[in-house]
Amino acid sequence: MYRIVGCATIIIQLLFSCGKKDAVSTAPSLPRPVKVVKVEALGSINRQYTGVVEATEFSVLAFRLPGTLKEMNVQTGQKVKKDQIIARLKPIDYQLQYETAQTNYQTAKSIYERTKRLLAANATAVQNLEIAEADYIRAASALNMSRRTLDYTILKAPFSGFIEQKYVDNFEEVQAGQAIVKLVNPEEVEIHFTLPEAGIPLLHIPCKIFVEFDSQGGKLFSAGIKEYIYASDGSGIPITLEITDDQFAPYRKNVFPGFSCKVTWVIDNMIAEKFIIPASALQTINGKEYVWLIEPSGFARRHQIQTSRLDGRILVESGLNSHDIIATAGLSSIREGQLVSMVQE
């Protein structure tokens, strides 16, 4: 009888043990805690560069002829009016050429007029008149050319402005096309600065640009890109900005070409509709990029995205929406469809 009771006890214990093991094996696993961040709160890009104010309208003036500089009538910073004489060359040689051409013209004109009278009196042939007329036309053309050449010894201002730079001094020998002065019109200005090559992605993202002039410390004026050029020598990208801020007008009189300024380039999620994500949130598999997207139900799902790089930061070009939640740590241990508990960074 004791054997029967002992066997029954052993069987009950075995049954209890099996039931306990089944209970443990079927218990649901706890959600895995992971750090996450909401896409809409991923921050912004703020870059600053040094710029310089340049005149929109300017001209580097030069003579069309070589010669000795006889007069230099302006100084750096001087205001000039349109058609004001900037400089003169010694005109001796060109004056002699003009006087010779003028004499030749008068002679050819007299011959031509006398030949016409002779032809009217049937005292000469038509052929002689044709020759005299051709000589007269050539002489007139040579006179006009020598007059223009003489005029080229005088350098005039093509518009009103001020002399920003003077390149030569009086009595110097100058060549045709050699820079004499730089004339600028200060009424309209633009901003020039160089964007480093690493900043190229900035050009393809909607942005806000602000300019702060040293002479107007603390005052920011909105600006827009007027033009830019891709440089092939690796020196960066020259960019020209124009002030678009209506509030700039009262301050314009205190901003002149040559002034330095600060250019602030701002990109944020509200402007760009693109997002910056932490490098720790990105996974690369077989050349494709993924993030772990955490669904509202708490389950993790691997999600492919398209990205670009800017200053070591990751810009999401496509694949994410505002308010999406992504994992930022422990990516290698997350499994597809795994239940997670979110820990905000």
Side-chain angles (χ1 to χ4, degrees):
M1 181 175 179
Y2 288 108
R3 291 181 179 177
I4 295 173
V5 173
C7 289
T9 301
I10 293 171
I11 292 171
I12 291 171
Q13 290 176 346
L14 289 173
L15 290 173
F16 179 77
S17 176
C18 292
K20 186 176 180 180
K21 184 182 292 185
D22 291 342
V24 172
S25 63
T26 58
S29 59
L30 295 175
R32 176 180 179 78
V34 296
K35 288 185 177 181
V36 298
V37 68
K38 186 178 290 187
V39 168
E40 66 179 0
L42 294 182
S44 63
I45 296 175
N46 189 315
R47 293 288 180 268
Q48 290 188 337
Y49 307 96
T50 300
V52 64
V53 180
E54 296 281 355
T56 302
E57 183 181 17
F58 70 91
S59 179
V60 177
L61 305 183
F63 288 103
R64 301 188 185 188
L65 307 168
T68 303
L69 197 59
K70 177 185 177 183
E71 294 179 17
M72 173 58 78
N73 299 320
V74 296
Q75 298 296 329
T76 301
Q78 180 178 334
K79 292 183 178 180
V80 298
K81 295 182 178 180
K82 182 178 180 180
D83 293 329
Q84 181 175 332
I85 296 177
I86 303 296
R88 293 177 187 266
L89 294 176
K90 287 185 177 180
I92 296 176
D93 293 338
Y94 304 110
Q95 181 70 39
L96 290 175
Q97 292 176 8
Y98 171 70
E99 291 174 357
T100 300
Q102 193 171 36
T103 299
N104 294 337
Y105 170 76
Q106 292 297 338
T107 300
K109 181 180 180 182
S110 297
I111 294 173
Y112 174 58
E113 291 177 346
R114 185 175 67 252
T115 304
K116 281 199 300 182
R117 289 194 297 270
L118 291 173
L119 182 63
N122 293 320
T124 188
V126 174
Q127 183 179 3
N128 292 332
L129 178 62
E130 292 175 348
I131 294 173
E133 183 179 16
D135 291 341
Y136 170 66
I137 292 173
R138 280 194 296 268
S141 177
L143 178 61
N144 290 333
M145 183 176 296
S146 63
R147 184 185 292 114
R148 287 198 302 270
T149 300
L150 186 60
D151 290 342
Y152 291 157
T153 63
I154 301 174
L155 192 62
K156 295 182 179 181
F159 53 82
S160 297
F162 74 93
I163 305 300
E164 183 180 82
Q165 193 167 357
K166 189 172 71 170
Y167 301 102
V168 296
D169 291 319
N170 208 8
F171 307 115
E172 285 189 25
E173 291 290 332
V174 297
Q175 302 299 317
Q178 180 180 343
I180 304 300
V181 296
K182 181 178 181 181
L183 175 66
V184 302
N185 179 1
E187 296 303 319
E188 298 294 335
V189 296
E190 57 193 19
I191 310 303
H192 290 197
F193 77 101
T194 300
L195 182 70
E197 284 193 335
I200 289 179
L202 290 173
L203 297 173
H204 307 294
I205 302 174
C207 63
K208 288 181 179 178
I209 301 175
F210 300 96
V211 175
E212 178 183 357
F213 300 98
D214 292 347
S215 60
Q216 311 293 331
K219 181 67 176 177
L220 298 179
F221 301 99
S222 57
I225 297 176
K226 184 176 181 180
E227 63 180 2
Y228 61 87
I229 302 172
Y230 285 109
S232 58
D233 57 2
S235 60
I237 304 168
I239 294 182
T240 301
L241 303 177
E242 57 183 351
I243 305 297
T244 57
D245 200 322
D246 294 336
Q247 304 300 317
F248 180 57
Y251 301 90
R252 170 64 192 84
K253 60 183 179 181
N254 296 319
V255 176
F256 296 95
F259 280 20
S260 61
C261 61
K262 183 186 299 180
V263 177
T264 302
W265 197 299
V266 180
I267 295 176
D268 60 44
N269 295 332
M270 297 301 293
I271 302 172
E273 298 181 353
K274 298 183 182 181
F275 310 103
I276 306 167
I277 65 173
S280 60
L282 190 65
Q283 239 182 2
T284 302
I285 302 174
N286 296 328
K288 297 180 179 180
E289 296 175 316
Y290 299 88
V291 294
W292 282 102
L293 191 63
I294 310 303
E295 297 179 339
S297 59
F299 291 97
R301 178 167 57 86
R302 182 179 280 131
H303 184 68
Q304 186 176 351
I305 60 174
Q306 301 291 330
T307 68
S308 61
R309 301 297 190 274
L310 177 62
D311 297 339
R313 307 180 76 177
I314 299 172
L315 300 182
V316 178
E317 303 287 344
S318 63
L320 286 180
N321 297 309
S322 180
H323 303 294
D324 282 346
I325 296 176
I326 59 175
T328 60
L331 307 188
S332 60
S333 58
I334 302 177
R335 300 292 177 265
E336 184 73 28
Q338 184 177 9
L339 183 64
V340 301
S341 61
M342 294 177 281
V343 180
Q344 293 285 344
E345 282 196 345

